[in-house]
Amino acid sequence: MMFSALSHLECPRCGARHDADRVTNLCHCGSPLLAGYDLDQVAAGVGPEVIATRPPSLWRYHELLPVRSPNHVVTLGEGMTPLLPLARLGAEYGAPRLLMKDEGLIPTGSFKARGAAVGVSRAHELGVKGVAMPTNGNAGAAWATYAARAGMRSLIAMPVDAPEITRRECVVAGAELYAVRGHIGQCGQLVNRAVAERGGYQEVSTLKEPYRLEGKKTMGLELAEQLGWRVPDVILYPTGGGVGLIGIHKGLRELQRIGWIGDRLPRLVAVQAAGCAPIVQAFHSGASTSEPWPDPRTIAFGITVPKPLGDFLILDALYATGGTAIAVDDADTLAEQSRCAALEGTFVCPEGAAALAAVRALSASGWITPDDEVVVLNTGAGLKYPDTVSIEDVPVLDPDGVIPS
Ligand SMILES: *Cc1c(COP(=O)(O)O)cnc(C)c1O
Ligand SMILES: [Zn+2]
């Protein structure tokens, strides 16, 4: 059994096959490419009992990851984040079997570390010397961090409004960073031009290379393993570019193909902010692609993507699993963030809070029933967004002041 069973790259739109051992971005038809594996070889060569003996990082699934040699694995110990029961919050929602996979506990404080670990490792293996990307913050921070770990250059452009900590993470990692007065799409145009003019960099923005998705699919693999190689009834995911959702769907289907989980898949739910909800709009009109969302605006910065490149893959995952899509107001997101921290002692990011608010709404509407085992992905640490919590009402005392008795 080889370290990786990667066999080829495949286009989900036109069906073209591509060589996986060359640096590749999109298919000639413009679609993102998906990594393909020799799943028969995986099924024959390894089983859950072998996986169980491996160290608790996402690399425990290396047969289903694209890096061919362990020497090229660039790691900071990412993966195997906790799957926490949220019993009090779940009882309040009417979803007593509520669980949260907490991606706040991962290097760089967001699940973007998964995509960066696998994406940077594979780029490094293929001889790429520099990576370039537009970002809403967390992806840039994660790729800059893992690029530094790999000894690679990184060129990052993010909106000036992106969470300030992510700018600092890029700077400390030695990235070449630009803060752009504009949105992520406009950052992308700037990066695109720079990459074409300079050479020496691969563009690694969302779904424009095939391996970030492979890192993110490990959320699905871990979830299945943590539940004893079975799946929950519902998974809610705060959806921007949708890489996590597409990845979880892809990972679970691979597990089905190798026989480690059964036929049933969870109903997948894309959660978006009311101020930027192209997938929700497309889903409820039965469309297979989305329309660009005009004037995107939300405090959940990580899910501010007006026109996801992989929209057709996200929508396909929702339709195929009997899932749904739902938009959440910022006010509800912020209220849910506080409620979760106060009831469960966990400080989730705004995007994770939006997904929790969606459980509240879908339980109220009856789409989620009390019997459903529900998993929410908290995609990052609340600690990265200190400004979402107001501290104005905290009394400030002089040392000779008095604490009320
Ligand atoms: C990027 C990001 C998301 C959205 O991720 P996609 O997989 O691109 O949809 C959600 N939450 C946080 C905290 C993020 O940084
Ligand atoms: Zn194609």
Side-chain angles (χ1 to χ4, degrees), residues 131-148:
V131 290
M133 70 192 313
T135 173
N136 273 333
N138 281 331
W143 282 72
T145 301
Y146 281 89

Side-chain angles (χ1 to χ4, degrees), residues 111-112 138 216 237-244 302-303 349 351 379-380 385:
F111 81 109
K112 294 291 194 306
N138 281 331
K216 291 191 174 181
Y237 182 80
T239 303
V243 190
I303 53 176
C349 65
E351 295 81 0
T379 41
Y385 311 84

Side-chain angles (χ1 to χ4, degrees), residues 160-403:
V160 280
D161 298 333
E164 202 179 279
I165 182 67
T166 61
R167 216 188 292 178
R168 296 186 195 281
E169 290 176 88
C170 291
V171 169
V172 79
E176 181 182 346
L177 176 69
Y178 298 91
V180 179
R181 289 186 206 91
H183 58 66
I184 187 172
Q186 295 162 322
C187 295
Q189 288 159 12
L190 289 169
V191 168
N192 218 271
R193 211 171 309 140
V195 167
E197 281 165 10
R198 279 190 194 183
Y201 286 83
Q202 183 186 16
E203 224 218 283
V204 294
S205 61
T206 306
L207 291 172
K208 285 204 179 157
E209 59 74 50
Y211 301 119
R212 184 203 293 213
L213 180 71
E214 295 305 295
K216 291 191 174 181
K217 91 181 175 191
T218 60
M219 288 187 289
L221 306 183
E222 286 179 17
L223 192 53
E225 183 177 1
Q226 287 171 315
L227 290 173
W229 297 108
R230 56 175 194 84
V231 300
D233 296 301
V234 180
I235 299 178
L236 295 99
Y237 182 80
T239 303
V243 190
L245 190 127
I246 301 165
I248 289 171
H249 188 221
K250 181 175 189 283
L252 293 179
R253 283 196 305 175
E254 286 168 356
L255 292 181
Q256 284 183 323
R257 294 263 314 274
I258 59 177
W260 295 7
I261 60 173
D263 287 340
R264 188 179 60 86
L265 283 182
R267 286 131 65 202
L268 298 177
V269 180
V271 180
Q272 299 206 290
C276 183
I279 295 299
V280 178
Q281 191 184 53
F283 179 84
H284 291 289
S285 61
S288 56
T289 60
S290 64
E291 296 298 323
W293 190 268
D295 194 23
R297 228 174 262 272
T298 166
I299 46 139
F301 217 77
I303 53 176
T304 316
V305 181
K307 166 73 181 158
L309 184 63
D311 55 4
F312 66 107
L313 298 170
I314 303 171
L315 288 160
D316 178 55
L318 304 183
Y319 295 132
T321 61
T324 191
I326 180 170
V328 175
D329 287 327
D330 281 358
D332 292 339
T333 292
L334 290 175
E336 210 62 63
Q337 188 186 40
S338 297
R339 194 72 191 140
C340 178
L343 275 189
E344 299 288 358
T346 167
F347 186 6
V348 302
C349 65
E351 295 81 0
L356 289 168
V359 179
R360 188 187 291 275
L362 291 172
S363 298
S365 76
W367 194 89
I368 288 174
T369 70
D371 293 339
D372 283 330
E373 185 176 43
V374 178
V375 174
V376 160
L377 268 297
N378 174 44
T379 41
L383 290 177
K384 294 192 82 170
Y385 311 84
D387 296 341
T388 57
V389 178
S390 170
I391 51 172
E392 266 167 38
D393 294 340
V394 177
V396 179
L397 301 180
D398 289 320
D400 60 354
V402 178
I403 293 175

Side-chain angles (χ1 to χ4, degrees), residues 11-16 18 27-33:
C11 177
R13 186 179 286 155
C14 76
H18 297 253
C27 183
H28 36 69
C29 77
S31 168
L33 292 171

